[in-house]
């Protein structure tokens, strides 16, 4: 069975649906591989300018597949090379919007945090319950959660395995927008569609600089920003956009 479904519902937007509803979309090794293949292929697909990733109404994803991990040794875990699967997502320069309904736990919460924007349904729940299984997050949970919501709220979740509601996650800065449960995917697609209408090179540079800059000292990050900003003055889309503004027309971007 295909564990990740790709839908193209609107121009330039790809929708990836995790498809293991019977296992609350637990991230099996097969699913992680399929996800990686989709991201690698969408990354170099010029017809895709934004990616929405979602699960179903009960679960975005309930984490790594515990049944598949239960008997694994450290060597087997390492041999899986799971970091390559996650890198395909984190290194994708197309904006990624996570549309979260239901549970986003463990690797599921980490997957949502690989998104640039997180849209959550009112009933969504976020958490890193790995500690209860005697393990810990391994796909960025201790780092991305702490950087998103701060040490004290993150530590409470990481050390107790407690969950956060969508409203709490929004207040803490983990979620971009909370909407009624049945509007989550449409809201995410609407954001993706707005982004897809922007000049793609500008979008890619903004994503690259915003994310890379977060890990740099401010001076270096500002330098990176300036260089990228200068670079965009050389694009065809900058000329198209500024001319359209002056002539009061709607621009159509070339992606060059
Ligand atoms: N893995 C496998 N199966 C799962 C699952 C999971 N994470 N979550 C749910 N399922 C399965 C259940 O076993 C059940 O299967 P059957 O019994 O029907 O065969 C089915 O999905 C329905 O689950 P429930 O009956 O429990 O459904 P409920 O709606 O009552 O509860 C729940 C939903 C999500 C609250 C509950 O299922 C639950 O607590 N699930 C486990 C959540 C969890 O602990 N997640 C963290 C997993 S550990 C690493 C990278 C990443 C990671 C580790 C290392 N490296 C690179 C080193 C990540 C680790 C994790 O994510």
């Amino acid at each position: 069975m295909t564990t990740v479904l790709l839908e193209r519902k609107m121009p330039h937007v790809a929708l990836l649906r995790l498809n293991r509803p019977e296992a609350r979309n637990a991230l099996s090794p097969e699913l992680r591989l399929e996800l990686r293949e989709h991201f690698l292929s969408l990354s170099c697909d010029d017809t895709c300018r934004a990616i929405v990733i979602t699960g179903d109404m009960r679960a975005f994803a309930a984490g790594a597949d515990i049944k598949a991990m239960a008997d694994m040794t450290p060597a087997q875990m390492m041999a899986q090379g799971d970091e390559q699967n996650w890198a395909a997502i984190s290194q994708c320069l197309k904006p990624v919007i996570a549309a979260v309904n239901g549970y986003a736990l463990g690797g599921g919460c980490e997957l949502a945090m690989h998104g640039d924007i997180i849209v959550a349904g009112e009933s969504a729940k976020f958490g890193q319950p790995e500690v209860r299984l005697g393990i810990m997050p391994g796909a960025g949970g201790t780092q991305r959660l702490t950087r998103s919501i701060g040490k004290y709220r993150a530590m409470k979740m990481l050390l107790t395995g407690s969950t956060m509601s969508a409203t709490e996650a929004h207040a803490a800065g983990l979620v971009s927008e909370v909407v009624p449960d049945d509007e989550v995917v449409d809201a995410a697609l609407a954001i993706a569609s707005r982004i897809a209408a922007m000049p793609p090179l500008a979008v890619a540079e903004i994503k690259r600089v915003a994310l890379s800059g977060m890990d740099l000292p401010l001076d270096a990050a500002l330098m990176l920003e300036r260089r990228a900003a200068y670079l965009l003055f050389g694009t065809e889309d900058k000329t198209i956009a500024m001319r359209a503004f002056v002539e009061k027309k709607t621009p159509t971007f070339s992606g060059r």
Side-chain angles (χ1 to χ4, degrees), residues 6-256:
L6 168 64
E7 297 173 29
R8 302 296 292 257
K9 290 185 157 218
M10 48 183 62
H12 296 125
V13 175
L15 172 62
L16 293 171
R17 277 187 199 275
L18 306 190
N19 185 37
R20 293 192 73 214
E22 75 292 350
R24 300 293 181 270
N25 292 320
L27 307 172
S28 61
E30 299 74 29
L31 185 150
R32 296 201 299 269
L33 209 56
E34 275 186 45
L35 209 48
R36 168 193 184 171
E37 280 159 10
H38 279 298
F39 271 94
L40 290 177
S41 127
L42 291 170
S43 283
C44 45
D45 177 349
D46 286 345
T47 69
C48 171
R49 294 184 180 176
I51 300 167
V52 174
I53 179 161
T54 195
D56 57 45
M57 293 305 279
R58 282 188 301 201
F60 176 72
D65 192 310
I66 299 168
K67 293 167 190 168
M69 275 188 319
D71 296 323
M72 284 185 79
T73 64
Q76 287 168 328
M77 288 291 287
M78 279 173 76
Q80 275 193 150
D82 198 29
E83 60 269 28
Q84 298 304 321
N85 298 330
W86 293 99
I89 309 174
S90 64
Q91 290 170 12
C92 175
L93 280 182
K94 316 266 166 98
V96 177
I97 298 140
V100 178
N101 270 122
Y103 297 105
L105 301 180
C109 186
E110 291 171 311
L111 179 60
M113 289 190 288
H114 275 64
D116 302 302
I117 294 171
I118 303 180
V119 178
E122 286 162 341
S123 319
K125 289 210 179 313
F126 296 82
Q128 298 285 165
E130 287 89 340
V131 66
R132 297 184 187 191
L133 297 167
I135 58 170
M136 62 178 284
T142 59
Q143 304 308 306
R144 289 199 177 90
L145 190 66
T146 312
R147 287 166 203 217
S148 296
I149 67 175
K151 173 183 165 186
Y152 299 100
R153 279 185 280 213
M155 285 302 228
K156 186 177 163 209
M157 289 173 76
L158 291 163
L159 297 175
T160 67
S162 59
T163 59
M164 216 180 223
S165 71
T167 317
E168 289 169 322
H170 183 251
L174 178 60
V175 159
S176 316
E177 185 173 308
V178 181
V179 300
D181 290 340
D182 57 1
E183 292 175 19
V184 169
V185 173
D186 284 346
L189 286 171
I191 296 170
S193 185
R194 282 176 60 190
I195 294 170
M198 302 292 163
L201 290 173
V203 167
E205 283 309 306
I206 290 167
K207 174 164 177 171
R208 193 199 310 266
V209 170
L211 295 186
S212 308
M214 283 170 72
D215 298 326
L216 294 173
L218 183 60
D219 279 352
L222 291 174
M223 170 76 83
L224 193 66
E225 181 189 81
R226 271 194 303 277
R227 307 317 295 180
Y230 289 141
L231 202 62
L232 289 174
F233 276 76
T235 64
E236 195 173 284
D237 280 343
K238 168 257 173 186
T239 308
I240 292 171
M242 294 198 182
R243 186 174 298 149
F245 175 81
V246 173
E247 295 173 359
K248 300 187 190 300
K249 290 183 181 157
T250 306
T252 305
F253 296 116
S254 66
R256 289 190 293 274

